[in-house]
């Protein structure tokens, strides 16, 4: 049995629901997660900046924890930097691709909404995904930078009404466009999936890439990780940037049953 951990990387807490999905399938594994708090948010940076930042943060996590696989649980980082990471590091790297293909296959009206960061919405990678898998669909792209920072900074301090309010405009725009599939193409948005679903109303599916990413990771790990093994496994949350770390990261760690691993300076 390979005792090395499974690594996760995101600009912040967005990838945690992806980690949680995999941990449920493979609970005896060791998990290490890097929240790149020092460089948050990725979505408003240039492509060149995201390339360098993601490479450098991946290197810090790899040097510190020696993972057997790295899951880039961030659409922005994956869309921009997956190739670069695969060039630079020898461990298997699994990326998070916007779920345009399954959404297009399922859409009856052939109208899809894509909610992502500015960087992802404007990236040629998404143009290619649309061309390849959704050429028969109208794809309405909306960037939600305010939603990203809301989740990162305010999620635990906000009430139900505030959570609905932050996604109301996007949901209304998708409603006007009559989409019947909404793709959450930024991992941070999974935290507000219920609110988006509620505002979108019946007949509209809200989807993300958890199953695709998690299944791919399990396949790469072989024999479904260590899910059949005994033992409880472990999970550590690392954050980049200087101390002191905001208390919200402790709250996210507790919420997801993780220990604080410390900072990646
Ligand atoms: N969670 C990220 C994504 O999936 C990026 C959020 C950000 O840092 O802008 O795109």
């Amino acid at each position: 049995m390979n005792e090395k951990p499974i690594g996760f990387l995101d600009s912040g807490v967005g990838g945690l629901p992806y980690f949680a999905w995999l941990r449920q399938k493979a609970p005896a594994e060791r998990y290490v997660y890097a929240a790149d708090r020092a460089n948050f948010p990725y979505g408003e940076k240039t492509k060149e900046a995201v390339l360098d930042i993601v490479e450098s943060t991946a290197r810090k996590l790899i040097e510190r924890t020696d993972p057997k696989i790295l899951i880039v649980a961030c659409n922005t980082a994956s869309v921009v930097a997956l190739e670069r990471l695969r060039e630079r590091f020898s461990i298997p790297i699994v990326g998070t691709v916007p779920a345009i293909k399954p959404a297009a296959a399922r859409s009856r009206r052939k109208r899809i909404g894509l909610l992502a960061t500015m960087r992802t919405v404007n990236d040629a990678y998404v143009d290619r995904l649309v061309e390849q898998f959704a050429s028969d669909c109208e794809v309405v792209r909306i960037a939600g930078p305010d939603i990203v920072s809301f989740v990162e900074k305010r999620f635990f301090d906000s009430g139900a009404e505030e959570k609905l309010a932050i996604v109301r405009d996007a949901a209304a725009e998708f409603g006007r466009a009559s989409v019947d599939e909404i793709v959450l193409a930024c991992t941070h948005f999974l935290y507000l999936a219920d609110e988006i679903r509620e505002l979108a109303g019946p007949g509209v599916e809200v989807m993300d890439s958890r199953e695709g990413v998690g299944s791919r990771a399990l396949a790469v790990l072989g024999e479904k990780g260590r899910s059949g093994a005994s033992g409880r496994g472990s999970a550590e949350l690392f954050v980049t940037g200087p101390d002191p770390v905001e208390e919200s990261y402790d709250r996210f760690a507790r919420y997801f049953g993780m220990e604080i691993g410390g900072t990646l300076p």
Side-chain angles (χ1 to χ4, degrees):
M1 201 72 67
N2 191 344
E3 297 298 330
K4 287 183 177 188
I6 295 174
F8 275 84
L9 168 71
D10 180 40
S11 62
V13 299
L16 290 172
Y18 280 71
F19 145 74
W21 190 100
L22 190 60
R23 189 189 210 183
Q24 211 180 19
K25 304 278 178 200
E29 291 282 350
R30 282 176 58 212
Y31 293 90
V32 291
Y33 181 107
D36 196 3
R37 150 182 173 265
N39 297 302
F40 175 87
Y42 288 171
E44 289 157 70
K45 295 191 165 57
T46 64
K47 205 168 179 138
E48 292 66 33
V50 174
L51 275 170
D52 292 344
I53 286 166
V54 171
E55 181 185 341
S56 135
T57 302
R59 176 161 288 115
K60 286 178 192 166
L61 183 71
I62 290 170
E63 281 174 0
R64 175 85 159 256
T65 66
D66 190 22
K68 57 187 169 186
I69 182 174
L70 179 65
I71 298 162
V72 183
C74 172
N75 292 91
T76 309
S78 301
V79 159
V80 172
L82 213 50
E83 249 173 73
R84 161 85 71 98
L85 293 176
R86 288 184 174 138
E87 270 164 35
R88 300 293 154 96
F89 303 106
S90 58
I91 56 171
I93 296 179
V94 175
T96 304
V97 172
I100 289 172
K101 184 180 176 183
R106 207 166 58 175
S107 175
R108 285 157 290 114
R109 296 189 203 137
K110 296 295 163 201
R111 301 179 80 81
I112 299 169
L114 182 85
L115 189 58
T117 63
M118 219 100 85
R119 183 72 264 133
T120 300
V121 158
N122 294 314
D123 204 276
Y125 188 100
V126 170
D127 297 340
R128 288 197 294 277
L129 281 179
V130 170
E131 234 168 77
Q132 216 177 335
F133 301 115
S135 56
D136 59 342
C137 295
E138 173 89 18
V139 182
V140 180
R141 305 184 195 189
I142 299 179
D146 299 348
I147 311 173
V148 176
S149 62
F150 176 86
V151 169
E152 188 76 16
K153 317 254 188 228
R154 303 242 335 111
F155 185 72
F156 285 118
D157 295 314
S158 58
E161 191 41 52
E162 243 185 297
K163 289 188 171 82
L164 281 169
I166 195 75
V167 289
R168 189 164 273 126
D169 286 352
E173 202 169 324
F174 287 141
R176 282 191 294 275
S178 300
V179 306
D180 61 2
E181 298 284 337
I182 296 176
V183 178
L184 303 182
C186 165
T187 54
H188 279 77
F189 300 162
L190 272 64
Y191 290 88
L192 297 169
D194 287 345
E195 285 75 10
I196 294 169
R197 214 168 267 126
E198 183 182 330
L199 292 168
V204 180
E205 299 287 340
V206 177
M207 60 191 307
D208 58 66
S209 308
R210 258 175 308 184
E211 190 150 355
V213 172
S215 310
R216 178 77 200 127
L218 288 173
V220 171
L221 286 163
E223 321 182 285
K224 306 225 178 333
R226 290 170 55 194
S227 51
S230 57
R232 284 197 53 235
S234 65
E236 285 176 289
L237 175 67
F238 293 86
V239 297
T240 58
D243 286 323
V245 177
E246 299 77 7
E247 207 240 325
S248 61
Y249 292 97
D250 289 319
R251 290 163 87 179
F252 277 105
R254 276 199 301 277
Y255 186 78
F256 284 97
M258 308 171 89
E259 304 293 323
I260 293 287
T263 48
L264 299 170

